[in-house]
Amino acid sequence: MFWEITFKSIGFAALIAMFGFGTFVLTDYSSRPAPTGEILENLEHLDDSQFILNRRDNESTVVLFYHPHCPCTFATARCLQRLSTDFKTRPQIIALAYCPEDQPDRWIESSTTRQLKKIADVRVVIDRDGSICQQFGVTTSGHTLIYGPDAELRFSGGITPYRGHEGYCRASTAFMQHLNHPQKHPTNWPVFGCQITSNNQ
Amino acid sequence: MTIMDNPENNLNSNGTDQLFLSRYEKECDRVHWFICWLMVAQWFLGITFAVFYSPLTWIGQQYEVHVHVWAAILMGGSFSGFAILWLRMFPHAAHSRHVVAIIQMLWSALLIHLSGGRIETHFHVFASLAILSIYRDWKIMITATIVIALDHIVRGIFYPLSAFGIVTESPYRWIEHAAWVIFEVSFLVPGCIRRRNEIRELCNRQTEIEEAKTNVDRKVAERTIDLVAANQRLAEKTTEAEVLALVAKHTHNAVAITDQNGEITWVNDAFESLTGYERDEAKGLKVGLFGRGEYTDPETVKHMEQQLANGQGFDVELLQYGKSAVPYWSSLEVRPICDIDGSVTKFISIESNISERKRAELRLKKLAKDHQQQTSTLDAVLQSIPDGILAADENGNMICYNQRAVEMLGALANDYSSSADWPEDHGLFEVGGTELIANHKLPLFKAMNGETVKNREMIARKSDSDILISANARPLNSDATGGGGVCVFRDITKERQKENEMRSLRVAVDNANEAMFTVDSNGRFVGVNNFACQRLGYKRSELLELSVTDICKNPPFESWEEHWNRIKNQRNVLIETEYTTKNKEIVPIEVSLVFVTYGGSEFVFAFARDITERKSAETERERLALELQSAAREAGMAEIATGVLHNVGNILNSVNVSAGVIRRQFEQSALSNLEKVSRLIQDHQSEFADFVRDNQRGQKLPHYIQKVTEALCCERQQVNEEFCDLIKNIDHIKEIVTVQQSMAKSSGLQQELRVSDLIADTLTASKGSLARHGINIVQEIEDPDATIVSDKHKVLQILINLIKNAKDALVENATQHPEIKIKSTTTGDRLAIQVIDNGIGIPTDKINKIFQNGFTTKHSGHGFGLHSSANAATELGGSLTAASDGIGKGARFELCLPQKLLACPVG
């Protein structure tokens, strides 16, 4: 009986400890935002932006940077798809897919890319070796930017509540407000996702 | 009465509970097994989720395993492992099911988290509740509900995105989730209770059925016990009947079943084989009586008939005849079979062919008789052989001995029956020793211990003398393993004495001063003594390679074969010859040859005496003899004259008798009567015819002349006979004289003489005196035709002398019934004539002097007759011996002569 009680106690304690530790680790992992850098303020400052973005006048431009193989960004794609149904305008959505220099174009083919391609008005552009990403100052996959018709930055950050978790959140609400109701004041939000480029790049 | 009050119901309730608990535990075991596999599957599912949704985390081109994968592996593994381990340790405990419910809900929470709070993943909660309902334990539903509610409460408050996928969710949204869970649980719990009750009801029914079945089985068992017993008895009887049927069918004995009258109704195969009757033919035959025949014992048949008539069984052995009339000996056993009332309903007959046994009995009887005869023969042999025999078994018990053993060993064989009883003073000593032989060293005991003893010599010391015995003993078993022994004793005292004598004789022969030879039929030496070797100068081995003719250069015979035959016939021959030594020295020898047969072979022992000195002496003696010859001649002549006179005197007695007879015959002759007749005829010469016719005397004259003539004829015959005897005696005298003359010059005439003629001539010569003294002559001639080759007159001289002496002895003794018996026998090549009288006999002290010259026991004797007769017998190659039992007991003289002519008469 003693050993049974002891075993049960140890078992339950181990179970709870494992559950708590796991929950802590997972929560920390999911809720820890990625660091962000100096984001490009105006698209006009971008070299060859017209060529790259093919921006249409009088429309907001949504630029999503992602790593094709980042699993967390798939939630961003899902969120974007769900949010796109509530768009009152037709913003130009450009998804810049990171592709290493030495990899072929098909390297970007992934579930996230396929999910993004399903969204209307989304154009996927290959970002060779993250060069465009560097021009925008973006380092984290899932980092989403909204530039107003005047090419000014309106929204910067992730549109998922936590890493890899899709769903509604204040960032996604702000994202929708900036698109449906353009505002002058830009807002910044935490980004949850993988790092697009390495530090040595 | 309530259900609970009923003890049977209580019993049922307990049984139901136990059955339900048992079945539920088995059900839980199956569900536990399913849950274990579910845990494993969920673990793989979680890993699959993580790998599928977020396998890697990237930094540019670099990537690493996503933390969700690690969370799925580690946390999921800990959940599943914990649950599996718990179920293994407490498979039948209720808390195990609660642990499963908790783990399952945690798995739902983990999966929801790993899937990023996807609403679809929440279905896992409901699926898990449905899975948990398999346990049919509504309590774990509550536990699961509480756990998932708490999870959603905590995460909804502190981490709503983890639970609901959004961060803007209401803090009470968990209530909605919990409500849906409760909604499902509210259906699952009644379902669990209902199914649990159904199972319990089924258990109750099953318990009742089992109890009913138990009762039925018990009753059936109780009722079938008797049936089983009956079946068992029936099976035993059936088995017994089958066995009996097999026995009856396959037995070699003829089995027959009859009715109450003894008439056969059934027979087996062996009956058909034994009797020759088919089954149908045998039906109706009278058991035991159908096979009687010529030699069947009628008494036995009568006995069988009586027993059958009385309804009684019998056991008989009789000579039966089969269908083919071939007789065989049968052992018949008939038993009546009675019904319940004791009435005989049938008979069973068992018959076997015992011809072989009968023949065996006859053989056994003959063997027993033979054995008895052999035993008797063996016993007779044992008792008749000169050796003593003892036989004992392995315990020393005496099982066989003969009288000779008792004689040699005294009381040993009789008084002691076992080895333990053998006395220490058994009287057997070592040869030359003074101490008794220990029992274990005795030959019989050694034989009992498996040893074989040969020629063991011992001294058997008896009260009166010691005897030397030689013992041979051997075990009774041929493999020398003991098992008793037999010992044969032989008294070798005399053998040893003879052997010693032979050794002494051998030593004497080897050291004798005469050469001795042993010669075989080929003339070869097979044995010589030391003196012969020394004298001849040869080694023994050299001499044994020579023959007689090698050393005897001038043998006294023409051929060895002739000489051998002569020795063989005469048995003992004395010859003189010469032998030549190795140094070519010629030595004169006198050889005494003795013929012997030994061991189936013929030998001659030759004793050669060196007569060199004797020869020299003989030469000297011859010289002296010549000198003495003249003197001897005179003496000899006187002796011859004496002999002649004696013999002639004996004959003259017969001549005198014959002359007396003739003179008396002439004095009493009928011639005077003839003179009377002549004178009467002369007186009546003129009237002789008338005288003869008319005169009474004249009429008797012819008859008287006839009588006178007959008397004269008779006288003439008697005178003639006497004259013949007289002439014979005179011839005899003449021959004696002639012989005596020839004795001085040469040997007598040798002729073949019939024994019967010799005896007749002797009696004729002596018949006058014998008749005068009324002496009865008895002749016993074994072979009247037997002949001898000898000097007739010498033989007659001897025999007449012996008859005369016998007559004198009878006359001197005045024997009342004087009788002389002349007996002739032939032994080998010698003829013996005995003259036996019942006269005065010869004194014992004088019997040895009877043949000496001048010795006589008669008043008127000269002591020359027997002397000359003995000399004559010797001259004839024979001998004359005398025997008498003393004065008044008669005497017996035996003249023994060789039947064949001697080659060289002695003398």
Side-chain angles (χ1 to χ4, degrees), chain A residues 8 67 71 162 166 194-196, chain B residues 56 58 60 82 86 95 161 165:
Chain A
K8 292 176 184 175
H67 193 296
Y162 292 104
E166 55 183 292
C194 298
Q195 195 170 347
I196 294 175
Chain B
L56 300 171
W58 291 79
F82 184 86
W86 197 280
H95 53 72
L161 187 64

